[in-house]
Structure formats: structure tokens, C-alpha cells
Amino acid sequence: MAKIFLTGATGFVGSHLAEKLLQQGHELRVLLRTTSNLRWIADLNLESFYGSLDNPQSLLSGLKDIDVVIHCAALTKALKNEDYYKVNFEGTKKLVDLIINNNLPVKRFVFISSQAAAGPASSFEPVTEEDEPHPVSEYGKSKLLAEKYILEQKGKLPFTIIRPPAVYGPRDTDVLQFFQTVKRGIIPKWQNRDKYASFVYVKDLVEGIALAAEHEKARDKIYFIADAQPYSWDDLARVVIDFFKTKAIHVPIPLGAVKIIAAVSERWSKITKQPSIINRQKVAELLPDFWICSPKKIQKELGFATQTSLENGVKQTLEWYVEHKWI
């Protein structure tokens, strides 16, 4: 079993990944801040290490005996565009440089990127790892910059880059808002058009990450981890409607209305100092009709495929939300 250093362990994906790694018998050390909310990992048998990517030297003692580093920490919502680059690019660069410059014997650096770094598809033909990236948001661009820097270190640091698409599951707060809206009887239809996306249930995602982190064939590779087929947001809505035994109607949301909502939301965010999920960057990601990626590469090379159907994954997620009174 490996000794693993994990960043972002208190977040949605990171906390599920921490659980999976411990279940597999790995020794886990997680990077925390003194202000970190430990609610999802408080009961886990792991080692806490306090430090900050802003001060990479503070991490040196925590990395000296580590086999695998999994960098899951990221900024997905920001008050200022430059914050995406400060955290997602500069933070990653500092961590990579620290490992290389100090000749730390890390056997694998796993970077949890995003499909946003690759950009959307132009049709039902999914994007692949070999396609030229074309991110449409500052978040995606910051993730792609981090990917490119890691790729430039080939031969100096063994790496694996994972690009998840839309992730859903217990503890998520983003797709939750869509579920809440549908439960209230409204199915938003952006630009009055069907939108399609690749999805992955969080427990399937962390299973794939854990496999790729140690698999020799995953060395110096990029992988999408997603369900084999894409879905429309209406497909998710139908599961919600069936689960709650309710009814819902489509409500067209024209582009102009979305932009107004985003502008108002951004102004409110400046007042509250809290970034919102609806902003102009998110609008840029809402415009494409096909956020579809192909999982064929990881299936072919590592033999990995997701096991949770959309219906079962969404139902398990909704059961968790109900139990925790989130919906």
C-alpha cells in the first residue's frame, strides 16, 4: 500500500476520495488549513498536515516520505478571474516545483483537472484526450495552464491527469441546485434548447482516480472519467420527478435573462464577499450544447468503466440530500 498526500480532502470529491483510499488500505496524509471545515473527514483514520500552497516550503516536511501526491484542491467559483489562476495554476506550479526542486521521491503526481480544461464538444461526437483543448471559461483556462505545466515536467516527475466532467453525488452543492429547482416544479431550459453532458457519480470517479494513481500504464497520461453515454439535463430531471412523485414544467431561460441573473448575482457577491455559482464565467459554460467527453481511453488502457447508472446514482444522491435535509 502507498503513502499518499492529498490536497482538497475537505471538499466534495476530495472527501469521497479520502474515504476510498483509506478503504483500500493506503496511509493517508491530508493538507489542511487552520480554517478548514473537517465535517466530512473528522471521523476518518488519517493524518492531518497543516500548511498552505501559498507557502510551499511549509509543505516540505509533509511530503518527504510520500509515494503519491493527489492534488484535488481547486477553486471552482471566484470573485475575481485572477483568483482562478492564483489557485488552480500558481498553486499547482508551486507544489510541482517543490517536489522537483527538492528531489522528493514521489512516484506519481495525480492532478485532478476538469473537462472544462478541454472545453465542450461541437456535436454528439465526444471530445477525447487527444483533441486540442479549447476552454471557454477562466476556470477551464486556469486548469489547462496547470495541465500544460505538468506536461512540461515529463521526465522529472511521473504524473497522471484526470479530467472529470459534471460530477454529482452526496455532499455536492452545485448539481443540488438543479435538483432543488426541479423538485419545486421547474425544469430550467437554457436558451430553450436541450443541453447534453457527460456525468459521473462521485463514487465511480474516486474509484477511477484511485486506480489511475498507481497503475503503471497511467503514468504520464491524461484521462477522462465519465459514464459511457451522455445525458440531457432532462434525463436527470426525470429521475428527480420520479423520486419525489411530483410534476414539473419546462421554463425557457433566454440568454438575455441568464446574463441579467449573472450580473445581479456578481454584484451581490461583491457585497457579500462570497462567490456565486451563477456568474458570467458560468454563463460561458452554459452556452455550449454538448459538454460531452469520451471515457474510452481509460477503459481500454486501465480496464476501468463506471458502474453506477444515472438512475441509481441520482436516487442515492437524493436519498442522502433528504436524510441530511438539504432538499
Side-chain angles (χ1 to χ4, degrees):
M1 292 295 104
K3 190 161 189 176
I4 299 175
F5 187 91
L6 173 65
T7 73
T10 59
F12 164 45
V13 173
S15 61
H16 283 280
L17 182 55
E19 290 177 352
K20 170 54 64 176
L21 295 171
L22 290 171
Q23 287 170 8
Q24 293 181 335
H26 297 293
E27 191 174 342
L28 187 61
R29 181 180 296 158
V30 301
L31 175 62
L32 300 172
R33 292 176 178 267
T34 54
T35 56
S36 295
N37 186 335
L38 307 182
R39 59 179 173 171
W40 306 130
I41 64 170
D43 296 329
L44 300 183
N45 183 25
L46 48 75
E47 179 185 351
S48 299
F49 182 86
Y50 287 87
S52 171
L53 291 172
D54 294 332
N55 177 19
Q57 287 300 316
S58 69
L59 311 182
L60 194 55
S61 62
L63 288 165
K64 283 186 175 177
D65 56 347
I66 290 297
D67 301 310
V68 177
V69 173
I70 304 181
H71 184 35
C72 195
L75 190 67
T76 59
K77 298 183 286 289
L79 292 172
K80 298 179 294 183
N81 286 342
E82 52 263 38
D83 290 342
Y84 290 115
Y85 296 91
K86 180 181 178 182
V87 175
N88 298 337
F89 170 58
E90 293 292 344
T92 303
K93 181 179 183 297
K94 289 175 181 177
L95 184 55
V96 169
D97 287 347
L98 181 70
I99 295 169
I100 293 174
N101 294 339
N102 288 277
N103 296 311
L104 299 178
V106 173
K107 298 183 180 71
R108 187 73 58 85
F109 182 88
V110 182
F111 178 57
I112 310 304
S113 185
S114 169
Q115 186 187 350
S122 58
S123 67
F124 277 110
E125 184 68 26
V127 295
T128 71
E129 294 85 349
E130 283 67 45
D131 290 333
E132 186 68 27
H134 56 284
V136 298
S137 66
E138 299 303 321
Y139 167 68
K141 292 173 184 176
S142 68
K143 281 290 198 178
L144 181 60
L145 270 181
E147 284 190 12
K148 287 182 174 179
Y149 189 76
I150 293 168
L151 289 169
E152 290 169 1
Q153 312 314 309
K154 186 174 180 178
K156 300 177 185 177
L157 178 64
F159 64 83
T160 301
I161 296 171
I162 303 294
R163 291 174 175 169
V167 188
Y168 69 97
R171 305 174 194 160
D172 169 59
T173 57
D174 290 348
V175 182
L176 165 65
Q177 296 191 25
F178 176 78
F179 291 156
Q180 290 171 328
T181 302
V182 174
K183 187 192 175 188
R184 295 187 189 107
I186 295 173
I187 306 174
K189 209 167 186 67
W190 305 110
Q191 302 170 272
N192 199 25
R193 292 159 66 163
D194 290 327
K195 302 283 184 177
Y196 297 87
S198 291
F199 291 89
V200 64
Y201 185 51
V202 67
K203 293 185 180 180
D204 283 335
L205 173 61
V206 299
E207 188 84 36
I209 294 172
L211 173 65
E214 290 197 291
H215 205 298
E216 185 56 33
K217 289 184 179 179
R219 178 173 171 151
D220 299 342
K221 300 287 185 65
I222 300 176
Y223 293 110
F224 288 113
I225 297 180
D227 289 349
Q229 71 175 87
Y231 298 95
S232 70
W233 286 91
D234 278 6
D235 292 327
L236 272 75
R238 280 191 285 272
V239 181
V240 178
I241 292 167
D242 179 68
F243 181 86
F244 288 109
K245 308 300 180 188
T246 187
K247 294 181 180 180
I249 60 171
H250 287 102
V251 176
I253 312 292
L255 179 59
V258 177
K259 289 182 175 179
I260 292 171
I261 293 169
V264 171
S265 180
E266 285 187 3
R267 291 194 188 99
W268 181 248
S269 292
K270 290 178 181 178
I271 295 171
T272 62
K273 306 296 183 184
Q274 295 294 324
S276 170
I277 188 175
I278 300 297
N279 51 53
R280 278 173 288 187
Q281 292 301 313
K282 184 55 65 175
V283 170
E285 293 182 350
L286 284 171
L287 291 178
D289 293 334
F290 304 98
W291 277 99
I292 300 172
C293 61
S294 171
K296 289 183 178 178
K297 183 179 177 181
I298 194 169
Q299 183 171 1
K300 179 181 178 180
E301 296 186 0
L302 308 189
F304 177 81
T306 59
Q307 299 299 310
T308 309
S309 69
L310 183 79
E311 182 175 2
N312 287 339
V314 171
K315 285 184 176 179
Q316 290 174 36
T317 302
L318 293 173
E319 287 169 354
W320 188 92
Y321 286 149
V322 170
E323 179 184 350
H324 290 78
K325 297 180 171 56
W326 282 27
I327 194 169

